[in-house]
Amino acid sequence: MRSDYHPSAGDLQLVAVLHALADPIRLSVIRQVADGEPHACGTIITSLTPSAMTRHFRILRESGLVRTEPHGTSKFLTLRREDLDARFPGLLDSVLRVSGEG
């Protein structure tokens, strides 16, 4: 089984993070996982099918916003808050503070 790519904290790129956050679906995912707890991908509330969400989860993971960890047949998402706050201080707080009006 191949491992999913996660950039190291030092390799996080602002352009990739902002691109990932610019999509309303992905921004909704970040808001849902902002509590710091692991969330099974299947429990993320969205209007899209699970197969359609695969691309969004990959973009979030490859940008460095989330970490995915396999647990049995599921994958769990966690927000990489510490890495993001260290690399881009205040960015997540600003993004999460804005209302969900898209």
Side-chain angles (χ1 to χ4, degrees):
M1 181 169 125
R2 120 185 130 84
S3 172
D4 289 331
Y5 170 75
H6 294 91
S8 67
D11 288 338
L12 297 178
Q13 298 294 314
L14 183 60
V15 170
V17 170
L18 292 175
H19 168 74
L21 291 171
D23 183 274
I25 295 292
R26 293 190 293 266
L27 183 56
S28 171
V29 172
I30 293 304
R31 287 190 171 118
Q32 291 178 61
V33 301
D35 62 5
E37 298 297 318
H39 293 263
C41 290
T43 65
I44 301 296
I45 299 168
T46 176
S47 60
L48 300 179
T49 64
S51 61
M53 285 304 297
T54 301
R55 177 176 167 272
H56 291 287
F57 292 141
R58 179 184 52 80
I59 291 169
L60 289 169
R61 178 178 40 79
E62 290 179 353
S63 71
L65 281 159
V66 299
R67 179 165 301 283
T68 58
E69 297 290 335
H71 291 279
T73 59
S74 297
K75 285 191 177 184
F76 282 73
L77 296 176
T78 52
L79 183 62
R80 292 180 59 183
R81 178 83 133 151
E82 286 184 24
D83 292 339
L84 290 158
D85 285 347
R87 184 85 167 139
F88 312 113
L91 177 66
L92 275 179
D93 289 335
S94 295
V95 167
L96 295 171
R97 191 174 24 250
V98 175
S99 69
E101 67 224 14

